């Protein structure tokens, strides 16, 4: 299984969206919006599918705890 990754627009760092999907299902998805809460900044972000990528589960980049 793989994790859908995106980039936080505020911190400019890769983050896990928390969405697990296999590569074939991800490839078959139409270009669509993905909405997920960002573990870096705590805000909800919207990404286009084309702005996301897959990483193997367990290999997703670690994230920092949001600091307010």
């Amino acid at each position: 299984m793989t994790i859908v990754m995106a980039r936080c627009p505020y911190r400019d760092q890769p983050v896990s969206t928390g969405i697990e999907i296999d590569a074939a299902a991800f490839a078959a998805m139409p270009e669509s919006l993905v909405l997920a809460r960002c573990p870096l900044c705590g805000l909800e972000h919207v990404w286009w599918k084309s702005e996301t990528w897959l990483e193997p589960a367990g290999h997703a980049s670690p994230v920092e705890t949001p600091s307010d």
Side-chain angles (χ1 to χ4, degrees):
M1 199 54 78
T2 56
I3 304 290
V4 178
M5 300 291 292
R7 185 165 294 281
C8 174
Y10 298 111
R11 301 252 181 123
D12 195 33
Q13 294 179 8
V15 295
S16 168
T17 63
I19 300 169
E20 292 187 28
I21 191 170
D22 64 61
F26 183 78
M29 285 176 47
E31 179 66 17
S32 58
L33 288 173
V34 175
L35 172 67
R37 183 163 304 278
C38 177
L40 283 177
C41 70
L43 299 174
E44 286 191 341
H45 300 310
V46 177
W47 297 281
W48 287 101
K49 178 192 168 201
S50 60
E51 298 173 315
T52 64
W53 65 94
L54 297 178
E55 286 196 15
H59 292 102
S61 301
V63 296
E64 304 168 9
T65 313
S67 58
D68 295 320

